[in-house]
Each structure stands twice: as structure tokens, then as C-alpha cells.
Amino acid sequence: MSLDEIAREISNCRKCQLWSTKTRYVPGEGSDKAEVVFVGEAPGREEDRQGRPFVGNAGKLLTEMIEKVLGLSRKDVFIANVLKCRPPNNRDPLPEEIDACSPYLIRQLEMIQPRIIVCLGRFSANFIFELLNIPFSGISKVRGKVFDAEMNGRKVKVIATYHPAAILYKPQLREIFEGDFRTIASLLKDRKTNPTLLDFVD
Ligand code: URA
């Protein structure tokens, strides 16, 4: 099973009602060898139009952080959402939609086996923290902290930050947001410059 095969499965999905209101499925995109996976909430209007994650205004900010702060390109990482279809008018995902759709994200994570999972916003953090048995006490409490977790017997670092759309509404949070990306950059650098940090190897 490859990421492409999962994407093909998603493209036929009718497990919840969102397939009938969406324009395009948004399975996620990037490298199957990504060290970092970014997880958002659900596609917005532009993502629904293009079938690609984080390509609207919030996506431009995310892309800028990936390029300028991490020194990577979108092709080096993997970007996905908990939901693969846009909820009408960007309403919050319903519990039954999460139950139906999240197995796709879980399989993507299991396949990629990233070293770092970055949760973008409250909704994604809530989902990933629960999945990986990390206590979740609200996005402003957990953001910027690095949590050690395990997924299928492999170590994974989990960090949450604000959703990039929140930064567009509240530019005063941008400094904190950039700081969280610098924390992610330092996690990536640890691995590149210090071969003794092998705690990620199974
Ligand atoms: N917001 C999200 O959570 N995901 C996207 O892909 C775009 C906007």
C-alpha cells in the first residue's frame, strides 16, 4: 500500500456525507519519506477548489514558514488534514465525519513514519494528542512544547502550534508562531548535526 493508493481510495470515498458537498477530495501531498508531517483540520475553499492542502492564504503562510524557517520545500514534507473533504462553509467537523475519515490520516502517518508530527491548530492537536495518548489541555497551553510519543512502536515527536489562519486574524501571534517553527527547525537540526541522537532509530 502506497500513499498514492490511499489517495486513490480517498477519491472514491463515501464514508460520510461530505463527499456530496465537496468539489474535490484533498488527500494530502508531499514526500513519502518526509521527516515532518503537518496536520491541519480540513480543506478550506481554495483547497476544495484545487484538491490540494493549504493552498489558500493560510497555506501561503505555512509554505513561507516551511521554506524560510525550516529551510525545506513543500515537497520535502507531507501536508494533510484530519478531514479529506471540505465541510460546507468551513463549519467544524462533526464527530461522525472524524470517525469516518481519520483512518486515512492514520494510515498515511503509519506509512510515512515521520520523526515529527506538527499539529496546526486546536482541532488537529486535539485529534493527534488523543490518538497518541498525550494529555491535551488546550492549544495555548500545549503549543510550542515538544512531546515524545509512540506510534506503532516507533518514537515520534509531536508539537502543536496555532493554525496559520489564526495568525492571519491575529497578527500579534505571528512571533509565537514563528518561534514554534524555530523549535521544529532545531528538532530537525539535532538529527543532522548530532549522529549520537539516535533515539529516533528503532
Ligand atoms: N485549513 C486547514 O486546516 N487545512 C487546509 O488544508 C487549509 C486550511
Side-chain angles (χ1 to χ4, degrees):
M1 185 54 71
S2 67
L3 289 175
D4 284 347
E5 284 169 302
I6 298 175
R8 259 197 301 281
E9 242 184 81
I10 293 169
S11 72
N12 291 309
C13 184
R14 293 193 171 190
K15 289 187 176 149
C16 79
Q17 278 309 306
L18 292 180
W19 72 268
S20 63
T21 49
K22 59 117 190 49
T23 309
R24 296 182 66 169
Y25 292 97
V26 183
E29 66 183 25
S31 167
D32 58 359
K33 297 182 185 64
E35 279 198 280
V36 193
V37 173
F38 292 89
V39 179
E41 175 173 330
R45 183 195 301 270
E46 193 54 29
E47 292 74 21
D48 177 65
R49 210 175 62 78
Q50 294 191 35
R52 299 179 58 209
F54 282 100
V55 288
N57 287 333
K60 287 194 184 106
L61 177 57
L62 173 64
T63 305
E64 184 187 333
M65 292 296 120
I66 291 171
E67 291 174 351
K68 290 202 184 140
V69 184
L70 305 187
L72 297 172
S73 85
R74 284 176 63 111
K75 288 201 181 78
D76 298 319
V77 302
F78 193 81
I79 304 174
N81 287 298
V82 179
L83 292 195
K84 309 306 189 187
C85 291
R86 182 192 186 205
N89 301 315
N90 295 352
R91 65 153 168 73
D92 282 350
L94 301 174
E96 58 267 29
E97 292 162 354
I98 301 164
D99 287 349
C101 200
S102 58
Y104 293 126
L105 174 67
I106 294 169
R107 280 163 60 203
Q108 288 170 323
L109 290 169
E110 285 172 349
M111 184 159 303
I112 298 168
Q113 300 181 333
R115 201 157 67 76
I116 304 163
I117 298 174
V118 181
C119 308
L120 299 168
R122 161 186 70 90
F123 180 87
S124 154
N126 202 354
F127 175 78
I128 294 287
F129 277 49
E130 194 174 314
L131 177 73
L132 299 179
N133 294 313
I134 309 166
F136 182 71
S137 48
I139 187 70
S140 7
K141 290 245 173 70
V142 301
R143 59 131 289 279
K145 297 184 184 137
V146 180
F147 294 88
D148 288 301
E150 226 177 81
M151 191 166 191
N152 291 345
R154 281 181 159 261
K155 290 185 178 179
V156 61
K157 304 254 180 216
V158 179
I159 180 166
T161 187
Y162 293 122
H163 194 288
I167 311 306
L168 300 178
Y169 287 117
K170 289 192 186 170
Q172 66 270 28
L173 294 178
R174 185 175 170 128
E175 218 165 294
I176 298 174
F177 184 67
E178 276 202 42
D180 292 345
F181 274 78
R182 283 195 292 276
T183 303
I184 301 164
S186 69
L187 291 176
L188 285 166
K189 211 151 111 212
D190 275 352
R191 163 71 156 235
K192 282 184 195 134
T193 55
N194 189 349
T196 60
L197 281 175
L198 289 176
D199 59 330
F200 303 110
V201 174
D202 48 357

